[in-house]
Amino acid sequence: MDINFSGKRALVRVDFNVPLDKESFKVTDDTRIKRALPTITHILEEGGSVILMSHLGRPMKKLKEDGSIDRERFTLKHIVERLIDLIGVEVKFCDETVGKKASEMSAGLKRGQVMLLENTRFNEGEKEGDSEFAKALASLADVYVNDAFGTAHRAHASTTTVAHYFDEEHKTFGFLLESELKNASRVTDNPERPFVAIVGGAKVSDKMLLLDRLIDQVDTLIVGGGMAYTFMKAEGGKIGNSLCEDDRLELARELLAKARKQGVHLLLPTDSVVADAFSNDANFRNAPSNLIDEGWMGLDIGVYAQNEFSNNIRNAKTIFWNGPMGVFEMPNFANGTKLIAQAVAEATQTGAFSLIGGGDSVAAVNMMGLANKVSYVSTGGGAMLELLEGKVLPGVKAMSVAKLEELE
Ligand code: AMP
């Protein structure tokens, strides 16, 4: 961060969209808060004050029966106690995001003090990237810091538009966002080879662009999870009741052909753990992935695939992983994902750079206690995927754009 924060009020966009217990509303996983601490602490230590803002959940999608916002459920007040424990200084909570109270409270902030604004998504203007709302946010502070990587792919008011109201000397990325970009670039810009990408999860349709782009970059592309069965069927396999997107069969064929043409090693699971129901209590056995009986479905990669995938991963020098290899939430179908996580950790120990790209693969790595054994665990699922797809994130772009008035 190349701003001297001494005596300045910094408006800091963080990602405090943390999971809460459904009844007590207590924070059940504070990883995202912890990852924002270095930026907050740095500003305070330099003699600045901090105005934190974030979204929490999707209040506009989950309105109350009478059509009003469920403020009790989605208020950021729920996280204040944990935030104070973690930062170790008092945090003043403002029950509005912009307005008279927010202005007075921010104007009264002294060096070393912290305040938290109410959920940005309580305001209609947030998701629309509304200029008036963004301008009101900007008026609360002297400088703007974006440290919310998880929402940097959204052109929202607090992540993107607000940056247009600060010139380049008065806006900067926070440490977290900076390190997310730096780590992503180790995969996207001249990765050390062999470069192995592992993509899993439920649907091909969610990761089409990613797969297409990865084929241009990797030496080996490993495809596991539910999406592998669309590829299996596209190649003429019998997949029983496994997950399949019939409208993506042609696309799967195109991706397979592209990989062949470019000499990319595209690995699908040769065998699977198949089950007779989508349940941890179902009967299950190992079977070839292209010969699955009707009534059975592939819920994890099989023993042969586990070994083949792991061997490829162990030889890699750069690894990107997004998406589980099976229904890892059910213990009987978690083995494939566990072994892949272990192989990634082993490769890292012998010198590979490994990036875990958000979402369920992060949950899997955490579940196994391997988060410290990989090179970098991203805090942003969608944002990391978009970076890997080669897109410029709106929240990132806005930081290099001059102040709005200078453009007019
Ligand atoms: P995604 O959000 O696309 O990364 O998908 C993650 C979800 O995919 C997890 O909830 C997994 O349970 C699910 N999944 C992975 N493999 C399979 C499979 N073979 N069949 C059905 N669902 C799967």
Side-chain angles (χ1 to χ4, degrees), residues 54-60 63 69-78 93-97 117-127 133:
S54 174
H55 73 285
L56 177 66
R58 297 178 165 188
M60 291 295 183
L63 295 172
I69 294 174
D70 193 345
R71 288 181 175 265
E72 295 75 25
R73 178 171 166 194
F74 292 105
T75 175
L76 267 172
K77 200 169 179 187
H78 297 312
F93 180 71
C94 178
D95 62 9
E96 63 180 20
T97 322
L117 299 172
E118 183 54 287
N119 194 341
T120 52
R121 289 195 187 163
F122 282 0
N123 307 271
E124 296 220 352
E126 168 68 339
K127 285 187 132 189
F133 177 49

PDB file of all heavy atoms in Angstrom, residues 54-60 63 69-78 93-97 117-127 133:
ATOM      1  N   SER A  54     -18.730  -3.528   4.005  1.00  0.00           N
ATOM      2  CA  SER A  54     -18.807  -4.858   3.394  1.00  0.00           C
ATOM      3  C   SER A  54     -20.270  -5.188   3.107  1.00  0.00           C
ATOM      4  O   SER A  54     -21.172  -4.531   3.612  1.00  0.00           O
ATOM      5  CB  SER A  54     -18.256  -5.901   4.366  1.00  0.00           C
ATOM      6  OG  SER A  54     -18.449  -7.204   3.870  1.00  0.00           O
ATOM      7  N   HIS A  55     -20.468  -6.229   2.304  1.00  0.00           N
ATOM      8  CA  HIS A  55     -21.822  -6.768   2.201  1.00  0.00           C
ATOM      9  C   HIS A  55     -21.905  -7.999   3.090  1.00  0.00           C
ATOM     10  O   HIS A  55     -20.875  -8.513   3.554  1.00  0.00           O
ATOM     11  CB  HIS A  55     -22.177  -7.112   0.755  1.00  0.00           C
ATOM     12  CG  HIS A  55     -21.492  -8.340   0.246  1.00  0.00           C
ATOM     13  ND1 HIS A  55     -20.165  -8.359  -0.101  1.00  0.00           N
ATOM     14  CD2 HIS A  55     -21.947  -9.608   0.036  1.00  0.00           C
ATOM     15  CE1 HIS A  55     -19.828  -9.560  -0.521  1.00  0.00           C
ATOM     16  NE2 HIS A  55     -20.883 -10.354  -0.437  1.00  0.00           N
ATOM     17  N   LEU A  56     -23.104  -8.454   3.362  1.00  0.00           N
ATOM     18  CA  LEU A  56     -23.304  -9.704   4.097  1.00  0.00           C
ATOM     19  C   LEU A  56     -24.543 -10.363   3.508  1.00  0.00           C
ATOM     20  O   LEU A  56     -25.656  -9.834   3.610  1.00  0.00           O
ATOM     21  CB  LEU A  56     -23.499  -9.419   5.594  1.00  0.00           C
ATOM     22  CG  LEU A  56     -23.781 -10.652   6.470  1.00  0.00           C
ATOM     23  CD1 LEU A  56     -22.586 -11.596   6.537  1.00  0.00           C
ATOM     24  CD2 LEU A  56     -24.162 -10.227   7.897  1.00  0.00           C
ATOM     25  N   GLY A  57     -24.357 -11.516   2.893  1.00  0.00           N
ATOM     26  CA  GLY A  57     -25.473 -12.269   2.326  1.00  0.00           C
ATOM     27  C   GLY A  57     -26.154 -11.552   1.179  1.00  0.00           C
ATOM     28  O   GLY A  57     -25.583 -10.655   0.550  1.00  0.00           O
ATOM     29  N   ARG A  58     -27.403 -11.976   0.925  1.00  0.00           N
ATOM     30  CA  ARG A  58     -28.166 -11.389  -0.192  1.00  0.00           C
ATOM     31  C   ARG A  58     -29.509 -10.861   0.291  1.00  0.00           C
ATOM     32  O   ARG A  58     -30.567 -11.425  -0.015  1.00  0.00           O
ATOM     33  CB  ARG A  58     -28.418 -12.473  -1.245  1.00  0.00           C
ATOM     34  CG  ARG A  58     -27.143 -12.973  -1.838  1.00  0.00           C
ATOM     35  CD  ARG A  58     -27.412 -14.062  -2.814  1.00  0.00           C
ATOM     36  NE  ARG A  58     -26.237 -14.274  -3.623  1.00  0.00           N
ATOM     37  CZ  ARG A  58     -26.207 -15.057  -4.678  1.00  0.00           C
ATOM     38  NH1 ARG A  58     -27.301 -15.694  -5.057  1.00  0.00           N
ATOM     39  NH2 ARG A  58     -25.104 -15.218  -5.367  1.00  0.00           N
ATOM     40  N   PRO A  59     -29.447  -9.767   1.064  1.00  0.00           N
ATOM     41  CA  PRO A  59     -30.690  -9.269   1.665  1.00  0.00           C
ATOM     42  C   PRO A  59     -31.788  -8.929   0.655  1.00  0.00           C
ATOM     43  O   PRO A  59     -32.966  -9.124   0.942  1.00  0.00           O
ATOM     44  CB  PRO A  59     -30.246  -8.026   2.428  1.00  0.00           C
ATOM     45  CG  PRO A  59     -28.897  -7.677   1.905  1.00  0.00           C
ATOM     46  CD  PRO A  59     -28.281  -8.943   1.419  1.00  0.00           C
ATOM     47  N   MET A  60     -31.426  -8.460  -0.528  1.00  0.00           N
ATOM     48  CA  MET A  60     -32.461  -8.062  -1.498  1.00  0.00           C
ATOM     49  C   MET A  60     -33.129  -9.291  -2.131  1.00  0.00           C
ATOM     50  O   MET A  60     -34.225  -9.189  -2.656  1.00  0.00           O
ATOM     51  CB  MET A  60     -31.841  -7.208  -2.618  1.00  0.00           C
ATOM     52  CG  MET A  60     -31.388  -5.857  -2.150  1.00  0.00           C
ATOM     53  SD  MET A  60     -32.773  -4.832  -1.594  1.00  0.00           S
ATOM     54  CE  MET A  60     -31.911  -3.302  -1.215  1.00  0.00           C
ATOM     55  N   LEU A  63     -36.060 -11.057   0.931  1.00  0.00           N
ATOM     56  CA  LEU A  63     -36.866 -10.061   1.629  1.00  0.00           C
ATOM     57  C   LEU A  63     -37.861 -10.737   2.559  1.00  0.00           C
ATOM     58  O   LEU A  63     -38.193 -11.919   2.383  1.00  0.00           O
ATOM     59  CB  LEU A  63     -37.612  -9.202   0.602  1.00  0.00           C
ATOM     60  CG  LEU A  63     -36.729  -8.341  -0.321  1.00  0.00           C
ATOM     61  CD1 LEU A  63     -37.582  -7.703  -1.419  1.00  0.00           C
ATOM     62  CD2 LEU A  63     -35.976  -7.283   0.462  1.00  0.00           C
ATOM     63  N   ILE A  69     -36.655  -5.328   3.942  1.00  0.00           N
ATOM     64  CA  ILE A  69     -35.360  -5.982   4.161  1.00  0.00           C
ATOM     65  C   ILE A  69     -35.325  -6.616   5.551  1.00  0.00           C
ATOM     66  O   ILE A  69     -35.765  -6.004   6.528  1.00  0.00           O
ATOM     67  CB  ILE A  69     -34.221  -4.946   4.041  1.00  0.00           C
ATOM     68  CG1 ILE A  69     -34.146  -4.428   2.598  1.00  0.00           C
ATOM     69  CG2 ILE A  69     -32.888  -5.533   4.459  1.00  0.00           C
ATOM     70  CD1 ILE A  69     -33.155  -3.303   2.414  1.00  0.00           C
ATOM     71  N   ASP A  70     -34.799  -7.838   5.619  1.00  0.00           N
ATOM     72  CA  ASP A  70     -34.686  -8.531   6.898  1.00  0.00           C
ATOM     73  C   ASP A  70     -33.421  -8.046   7.616  1.00  0.00           C
ATOM     74  O   ASP A  70     -32.369  -8.687   7.596  1.00  0.00           O
ATOM     75  CB  ASP A  70     -34.617 -10.046   6.638  1.00  0.00           C
ATOM     76  CG  ASP A  70     -34.824 -10.848   7.903  1.00  0.00           C
ATOM     77  OD1 ASP A  70     -34.736 -10.252   8.998  1.00  0.00           O
ATOM     78  OD2 ASP A  70     -35.057 -12.057   7.796  1.00  0.00           O
ATOM     79  N   ARG A  71     -33.536  -6.872   8.234  1.00  0.00           N
ATOM     80  CA  ARG A  71     -32.360  -6.230   8.841  1.00  0.00           C
ATOM     81  C   ARG A  71     -31.804  -7.052   9.990  1.00  0.00           C
ATOM     82  O   ARG A  71     -30.596  -7.099  10.199  1.00  0.00           O
ATOM     83  CB  ARG A  71     -32.727  -4.827   9.339  1.00  0.00           C
ATOM     84  CG  ARG A  71     -32.935  -3.889   8.174  1.00  0.00           C
ATOM     85  CD  ARG A  71     -33.269  -2.476   8.577  1.00  0.00           C
ATOM     86  NE  ARG A  71     -33.325  -1.683   7.372  1.00  0.00           N
ATOM     87  CZ  ARG A  71     -32.316  -0.963   6.895  1.00  0.00           C
ATOM     88  NH1 ARG A  71     -31.191  -0.889   7.552  1.00  0.00           N
ATOM     89  NH2 ARG A  71     -32.427  -0.315   5.762  1.00  0.00           N
ATOM     90  N   GLU A  72     -32.683  -7.705  10.745  1.00  0.00           N
ATOM     91  CA  GLU A  72     -32.214  -8.475  11.905  1.00  0.00           C
ATOM     92  C   GLU A  72     -31.290  -9.599  11.445  1.00  0.00           C
ATOM     93  O   GLU A  72     -30.287  -9.903  12.065  1.00  0.00           O
ATOM     94  CB  GLU A  72     -33.386  -9.103  12.681  1.00  0.00           C
ATOM     95  CG  GLU A  72     -34.327  -8.110  13.332  1.00  0.00           C
ATOM     96  CD  GLU A  72     -35.262  -7.432  12.322  1.00  0.00           C
ATOM     97  OE1 GLU A  72     -35.521  -8.035  11.251  1.00  0.00           O
ATOM     98  OE2 GLU A  72     -35.696  -6.289  12.568  1.00  0.00           O
ATOM     99  N   ARG A  73     -31.627 -10.202  10.310  1.00  0.00           N
ATOM    100  CA  ARG A  73     -30.851 -11.335   9.833  1.00  0.00           C
ATOM    101  C   ARG A  73     -29.552 -10.902   9.144  1.00  0.00           C
ATOM    102  O   ARG A  73     -28.513 -11.523   9.314  1.00  0.00           O
ATOM    103  CB  ARG A  73     -31.704 -12.132   8.843  1.00  0.00           C
ATOM    104  CG  ARG A  73     -30.975 -13.309   8.256  1.00  0.00           C
ATOM    105  CD  ARG A  73     -31.913 -14.187   7.449  1.00  0.00           C
ATOM    106  NE  ARG A  73     -31.164 -15.114   6.635  1.00  0.00           N
ATOM    107  CZ  ARG A  73     -31.656 -15.813   5.638  1.00  0.00           C
ATOM    108  NH1 ARG A  73     -32.941 -15.673   5.332  1.00  0.00           N
ATOM    109  NH2 ARG A  73     -30.922 -16.637   4.946  1.00  0.00           N
ATOM    110  N   PHE A  74     -29.611  -9.838   8.381  1.00  0.00           N
ATOM    111  CA  PHE A  74     -28.463  -9.496   7.542  1.00  0.00           C
ATOM    112  C   PHE A  74     -27.604  -8.339   8.063  1.00  0.00           C
ATOM    113  O   PHE A  74     -26.705  -7.874   7.370  1.00  0.00           O
ATOM    114  CB  PHE A  74     -28.928  -9.180   6.112  1.00  0.00           C
ATOM    115  CG  PHE A  74     -29.453 -10.392   5.393  1.00  0.00           C
ATOM    116  CD1 PHE A  74     -30.816 -10.568   5.192  1.00  0.00           C
ATOM    117  CD2 PHE A  74     -28.581 -11.369   4.935  1.00  0.00           C
ATOM    118  CE1 PHE A  74     -31.303 -11.692   4.530  1.00  0.00           C
ATOM    119  CE2 PHE A  74     -29.051 -12.498   4.274  1.00  0.00           C
ATOM    120  CZ  PHE A  74     -30.418 -12.665   4.071  1.00  0.00           C
ATOM    121  N   THR A  75     -27.891  -7.867   9.290  1.00  0.00           N
ATOM    122  CA  THR A  75     -27.083  -6.748   9.781  1.00  0.00           C
ATOM    123  C   THR A  75     -25.630  -7.176  10.044  1.00  0.00           C
ATOM    124  O   THR A  75     -25.368  -8.261  10.563  1.00  0.00           O
ATOM    125  CB  THR A  75     -27.678  -6.135  11.068  1.00  0.00           C
ATOM    126  OG1 THR A  75     -26.772  -5.134  11.535  1.00  0.00           O
ATOM    127  CG2 THR A  75     -27.883  -7.162  12.173  1.00  0.00           C
ATOM    128  N   LEU A  76     -24.717  -6.272   9.727  1.00  0.00           N
ATOM    129  CA  LEU A  76     -23.301  -6.562   9.991  1.00  0.00           C
ATOM    130  C   LEU A  76     -22.962  -6.455  11.482  1.00  0.00           C
ATOM    131  O   LEU A  76     -21.859  -6.783  11.897  1.00  0.00           O
ATOM    132  CB  LEU A  76     -22.406  -5.617   9.190  1.00  0.00           C
ATOM    133  CG  LEU A  76     -21.960  -6.145   7.812  1.00  0.00           C
ATOM    134  CD1 LEU A  76     -21.237  -5.056   7.040  1.00  0.00           C
ATOM    135  CD2 LEU A  76     -21.060  -7.371   7.933  1.00  0.00           C
ATOM    136  N   LYS A  77     -23.925  -6.007  12.254  1.00  0.00           N
ATOM    137  CA  LYS A  77     -23.720  -5.929  13.694  1.00  0.00           C
ATOM    138  C   LYS A  77     -23.339  -7.307  14.258  1.00  0.00           C
ATOM    139  O   LYS A  77     -22.612  -7.405  15.251  1.00  0.00           O
ATOM    140  CB  LYS A  77     -25.019  -5.425  14.342  1.00  0.00           C
ATOM    141  CG  LYS A  77     -24.801  -4.863  15.701  1.00  0.00           C
ATOM    142  CD  LYS A  77     -26.004  -4.143  16.212  1.00  0.00           C
ATOM    143  CE  LYS A  77     -25.682  -3.630  17.601  1.00  0.00           C
ATOM    144  NZ  LYS A  77     -26.823  -3.056  18.245  1.00  0.00           N
ATOM    145  N   HIS A  78     -23.833  -8.370  13.586  1.00  0.00           N
ATOM    146  CA  HIS A  78     -23.535  -9.724  14.059  1.00  0.00           C
ATOM    147  C   HIS A  78     -22.042 -10.010  14.166  1.00  0.00           C
ATOM    148  O   HIS A  78     -21.631 -10.908  14.889  1.00  0.00           O
ATOM    149  CB  HIS A  78     -24.143 -10.768  13.110  1.00  0.00           C
ATOM    150  CG  HIS A  78     -25.637 -10.732  13.041  1.00  0.00           C
ATOM    151  ND1 HIS A  78     -26.428 -10.698  14.164  1.00  0.00           N
ATOM    152  CD2 HIS A  78     -26.480 -10.730  11.985  1.00  0.00           C
ATOM    153  CE1 HIS A  78     -27.696 -10.666  13.790  1.00  0.00           C
ATOM    154  NE2 HIS A  78     -27.760 -10.678  12.477  1.00  0.00           N
ATOM    155  N   PHE A  93     -20.151   0.742  15.644  1.00  0.00           N
ATOM    156  CA  PHE A  93     -21.027   0.283  14.565  1.00  0.00           C
ATOM    157  C   PHE A  93     -22.002   1.386  14.176  1.00  0.00           C
ATOM    158  O   PHE A  93     -22.641   1.998  15.031  1.00  0.00           O
ATOM    159  CB  PHE A  93     -21.795  -0.978  15.000  1.00  0.00           C
ATOM    160  CG  PHE A  93     -22.703  -1.486  13.929  1.00  0.00           C
ATOM    161  CD1 PHE A  93     -22.169  -2.078  12.785  1.00  0.00           C
ATOM    162  CD2 PHE A  93     -24.088  -1.353  14.038  1.00  0.00           C
ATOM    163  CE1 PHE A  93     -22.999  -2.532  11.764  1.00  0.00           C
ATOM    164  CE2 PHE A  93     -24.924  -1.813  13.029  1.00  0.00           C
ATOM    165  CZ  PHE A  93     -24.371  -2.394  11.891  1.00  0.00           C
ATOM    166  N   CYS A  94     -22.122   1.630  12.869  1.00  0.00           N
ATOM    167  CA  CYS A  94     -23.062   2.654  12.388  1.00  0.00           C
ATOM    168  C   CYS A  94     -24.219   1.929  11.710  1.00  0.00           C
ATOM    169  O   CYS A  94     -23.998   1.171  10.760  1.00  0.00           O
ATOM    170  CB  CYS A  94     -22.346   3.562  11.383  1.00  0.00           C
ATOM    171  SG  CYS A  94     -23.439   4.804  10.692  1.00  0.00           S
ATOM    172  N   ASP A  95     -25.460   2.128  12.185  1.00  0.00           N
ATOM    173  CA  ASP A  95     -26.555   1.331  11.651  1.00  0.00           C
ATOM    174  C   ASP A  95     -27.126   1.861  10.333  1.00  0.00           C
ATOM    175  O   ASP A  95     -28.233   1.529   9.940  1.00  0.00           O
ATOM    176  CB  ASP A  95     -27.655   1.107  12.700  1.00  0.00           C
ATOM    177  CG  ASP A  95     -28.285   2.416  13.135  1.00  0.00           C
ATOM    178  OD1 ASP A  95     -27.995   3.451  12.501  1.00  0.00           O
ATOM    179  OD2 ASP A  95     -29.058   2.395  14.117  1.00  0.00           O
ATOM    180  N   GLU A  96     -26.362   2.672   9.642  1.00  0.00           N
ATOM    181  CA  GLU A  96     -26.679   3.003   8.250  1.00  0.00           C
ATOM    182  C   GLU A  96     -25.374   2.979   7.445  1.00  0.00           C
ATOM    183  O   GLU A  96     -24.281   3.013   8.017  1.00  0.00           O
ATOM    184  CB  GLU A  96     -27.362   4.368   8.139  1.00  0.00           C
ATOM    185  CG  GLU A  96     -26.496   5.513   8.604  1.00  0.00           C
ATOM    186  CD  GLU A  96     -27.214   6.878   8.493  1.00  0.00           C
ATOM    187  OE1 GLU A  96     -28.454   6.926   8.426  1.00  0.00           O
ATOM    188  OE2 GLU A  96     -26.503   7.893   8.475  1.00  0.00           O
ATOM    189  N   THR A  97     -25.506   2.880   6.131  1.00  0.00           N
ATOM    190  CA  THR A  97     -24.295   2.799   5.306  1.00  0.00           C
ATOM    191  C   THR A  97     -23.866   4.201   4.890  1.00  0.00           C
ATOM    192  O   THR A  97     -22.683   4.537   4.934  1.00  0.00           O
ATOM    193  CB  THR A  97     -24.546   1.937   4.047  1.00  0.00           C
ATOM    194  OG1 THR A  97     -25.395   0.844   4.392  1.00  0.00           O
ATOM    195  CG2 THR A  97     -23.241   1.387   3.484  1.00  0.00           C
ATOM    196  N   LEU A 117     -19.583   0.304   8.818  1.00  0.00           N
ATOM    197  CA  LEU A 117     -20.869   0.737   8.253  1.00  0.00           C
ATOM    198  C   LEU A 117     -21.804  -0.462   8.118  1.00  0.00           C
ATOM    199  O   LEU A 117     -21.364  -1.603   7.992  1.00  0.00           O
ATOM    200  CB  LEU A 117     -20.644   1.352   6.865  1.00  0.00           C
ATOM    201  CG  LEU A 117     -19.751   2.592   6.786  1.00  0.00           C
ATOM    202  CD1 LEU A 117     -19.480   2.951   5.324  1.00  0.00           C
ATOM    203  CD2 LEU A 117     -20.416   3.778   7.504  1.00  0.00           C
ATOM    204  N   GLU A 118     -23.087  -0.186   8.096  1.00  0.00           N
ATOM    205  CA  GLU A 118     -24.087  -1.249   7.909  1.00  0.00           C
ATOM    206  C   GLU A 118     -23.947  -1.857   6.501  1.00  0.00           C
ATOM    207  O   GLU A 118     -23.406  -1.223   5.576  1.00  0.00           O
ATOM    208  CB  GLU A 118     -25.492  -0.661   8.146  1.00  0.00           C
ATOM    209  CG  GLU A 118     -26.640  -1.642   8.067  1.00  0.00           C
ATOM    210  CD  GLU A 118     -26.513  -2.873   8.987  1.00  0.00           C
ATOM    211  OE1 GLU A 118     -25.684  -3.751   8.686  1.00  0.00           O
ATOM    212  OE2 GLU A 118     -27.270  -2.940   9.988  1.00  0.00           O
ATOM    213  N   ASN A 119     -24.417  -3.090   6.354  1.00  0.00           N
ATOM    214  CA  ASN A 119     -24.405  -3.879   5.112  1.00  0.00           C
ATOM    215  C   ASN A 119     -24.631  -3.018   3.856  1.00  0.00           C
ATOM    216  O   ASN A 119     -25.683  -2.409   3.691  1.00  0.00           O
ATOM    217  CB  ASN A 119     -25.520  -4.925   5.245  1.00  0.00           C
ATOM    218  CG  ASN A 119     -25.423  -6.015   4.208  1.00  0.00           C
ATOM    219  OD1 ASN A 119     -24.768  -5.852   3.182  1.00  0.00           O
ATOM    220  ND2 ASN A 119     -26.076  -7.127   4.496  1.00  0.00           N
ATOM    221  N   THR A 120     -23.641  -3.012   2.972  1.00  0.00           N
ATOM    222  CA  THR A 120     -23.772  -2.171   1.763  1.00  0.00           C
ATOM    223  C   THR A 120     -24.980  -2.588   0.917  1.00  0.00           C
ATOM    224  O   THR A 120     -25.569  -1.775   0.222  1.00  0.00           O
ATOM    225  CB  THR A 120     -22.506  -2.270   0.881  1.00  0.00           C
ATOM    226  OG1 THR A 120     -22.215  -3.652   0.649  1.00  0.00           O
ATOM    227  CG2 THR A 120     -21.314  -1.600   1.543  1.00  0.00           C
ATOM    228  N   ARG A 121     -25.350  -3.878   1.008  1.00  0.00           N
ATOM    229  CA  ARG A 121     -26.461  -4.357   0.168  1.00  0.00           C
ATOM    230  C   ARG A 121     -27.850  -4.026   0.725  1.00  0.00           C
ATOM    231  O   ARG A 121     -28.852  -4.453   0.170  1.00  0.00           O
ATOM    232  CB  ARG A 121     -26.323  -5.859  -0.086  1.00  0.00           C
ATOM    233  CG  ARG A 121     -25.181  -6.146  -1.018  1.00  0.00           C
ATOM    234  CD  ARG A 121     -25.234  -7.545  -1.585  1.00  0.00           C
ATOM    235  NE  ARG A 121     -24.027  -7.812  -2.342  1.00  0.00           N
ATOM    236  CZ  ARG A 121     -23.607  -9.020  -2.683  1.00  0.00           C
ATOM    237  NH1 ARG A 121     -24.304 -10.083  -2.323  1.00  0.00           N
ATOM    238  NH2 ARG A 121     -22.507  -9.175  -3.389  1.00  0.00           N
ATOM    239  N   PHE A 122     -27.905  -3.254   1.810  1.00  0.00           N
ATOM    240  CA  PHE A 122     -29.203  -2.735   2.255  1.00  0.00           C
ATOM    241  C   PHE A 122     -29.617  -1.576   1.343  1.00  0.00           C
ATOM    242  O   PHE A 122     -30.717  -1.063   1.435  1.00  0.00           O
ATOM    243  CB  PHE A 122     -29.132  -2.230   3.702  1.00  0.00           C
ATOM    244  CG  PHE A 122     -29.172  -3.335   4.742  1.00  0.00           C
ATOM    245  CD1 PHE A 122     -29.261  -4.669   4.364  1.00  0.00           C
ATOM    246  CD2 PHE A 122     -29.126  -3.033   6.101  1.00  0.00           C
ATOM    247  CE1 PHE A 122     -29.300  -5.677   5.314  1.00  0.00           C
ATOM    248  CE2 PHE A 122     -29.165  -4.043   7.065  1.00  0.00           C
ATOM    249  CZ  PHE A 122     -29.242  -5.364   6.666  1.00  0.00           C
ATOM    250  N   ASN A 123     -28.700  -1.139   0.493  1.00  0.00           N
ATOM    251  CA  ASN A 123     -28.951  -0.002  -0.403  1.00  0.00           C
ATOM    252  C   ASN A 123     -29.122  -0.490  -1.831  1.00  0.00           C
ATOM    253  O   ASN A 123     -28.243  -1.189  -2.351  1.00  0.00           O
ATOM    254  CB  ASN A 123     -27.762   0.957  -0.337  1.00  0.00           C
ATOM    255  CG  ASN A 123     -27.447   1.362   1.092  1.00  0.00           C
ATOM    256  OD1 ASN A 123     -27.977   2.333   1.603  1.00  0.00           O
ATOM    257  ND2 ASN A 123     -26.612   0.580   1.758  1.00  0.00           N
ATOM    258  N   GLU A 124     -30.217  -0.107  -2.455  1.00  0.00           N
ATOM    259  CA  GLU A 124     -30.479  -0.565  -3.833  1.00  0.00           C
ATOM    260  C   GLU A 124     -29.338  -0.214  -4.768  1.00  0.00           C
ATOM    261  O   GLU A 124     -29.038  -0.930  -5.700  1.00  0.00           O
ATOM    262  CB  GLU A 124     -31.764   0.067  -4.347  1.00  0.00           C
ATOM    263  CG  GLU A 124     -32.962  -0.387  -3.558  1.00  0.00           C
ATOM    264  CD  GLU A 124     -34.159  -0.645  -4.431  1.00  0.00           C
ATOM    265  OE1 GLU A 124     -34.085  -0.330  -5.619  1.00  0.00           O
ATOM    266  OE2 GLU A 124     -35.153  -1.166  -3.885  1.00  0.00           O
ATOM    267  N   GLY A 125     -28.713   0.938  -4.515  1.00  0.00           N
ATOM    268  CA  GLY A 125     -27.662   1.427  -5.401  1.00  0.00           C
ATOM    269  C   GLY A 125     -26.420   0.558  -5.430  1.00  0.00           C
ATOM    270  O   GLY A 125     -25.615   0.652  -6.351  1.00  0.00           O
ATOM    271  N   GLU A 126     -26.226  -0.268  -4.407  1.00  0.00           N
ATOM    272  CA  GLU A 126     -24.990  -1.052  -4.322  1.00  0.00           C
ATOM    273  C   GLU A 126     -24.779  -1.930  -5.551  1.00  0.00           C
ATOM    274  O   GLU A 126     -23.804  -1.820  -6.266  1.00  0.00           O
ATOM    275  CB  GLU A 126     -25.006  -1.878  -3.029  1.00  0.00           C
ATOM    276  CG  GLU A 126     -23.941  -2.968  -2.922  1.00  0.00           C
ATOM    277  CD  GLU A 126     -22.498  -2.441  -2.806  1.00  0.00           C
ATOM    278  OE1 GLU A 126     -22.252  -1.295  -3.185  1.00  0.00           O
ATOM    279  OE2 GLU A 126     -21.631  -3.224  -2.360  1.00  0.00           O
ATOM    280  N   LYS A 127     -25.745  -2.829  -5.794  1.00  0.00           N
ATOM    281  CA  LYS A 127     -25.552  -3.776  -6.882  1.00  0.00           C
ATOM    282  C   LYS A 127     -25.637  -3.125  -8.253  1.00  0.00           C
ATOM    283  O   LYS A 127     -25.106  -3.640  -9.229  1.00  0.00           O
ATOM    284  CB  LYS A 127     -26.545  -4.932  -6.764  1.00  0.00           C
ATOM    285  CG  LYS A 127     -26.159  -5.895  -5.655  1.00  0.00           C
ATOM    286  CD  LYS A 127     -27.044  -7.099  -5.660  1.00  0.00           C
ATOM    287  CE  LYS A 127     -26.235  -8.352  -5.583  1.00  0.00           C
ATOM    288  NZ  LYS A 127     -27.003  -9.558  -5.778  1.00  0.00           N
ATOM    289  N   PHE A 133     -24.896   6.799  -4.732  1.00  0.00           N
ATOM    290  CA  PHE A 133     -24.567   6.021  -3.534  1.00  0.00           C
ATOM    291  C   PHE A 133     -23.047   5.961  -3.352  1.00  0.00           C
ATOM    292  O   PHE A 133     -22.520   6.170  -2.252  1.00  0.00           O
ATOM    293  CB  PHE A 133     -25.176   4.618  -3.647  1.00  0.00           C
ATOM    294  CG  PHE A 133     -24.839   3.686  -2.508  1.00  0.00           C
ATOM    295  CD1 PHE A 133     -24.981   4.092  -1.185  1.00  0.00           C
ATOM    296  CD2 PHE A 133     -24.384   2.396  -2.758  1.00  0.00           C
ATOM    297  CE1 PHE A 133     -24.668   3.237  -0.130  1.00  0.00           C
ATOM    298  CE2 PHE A 133     -24.074   1.530  -1.721  1.00  0.00           C
ATOM    299  CZ  PHE A 133     -24.211   1.959  -0.402  1.00  0.00           C
TER     300      PHE A 133
END
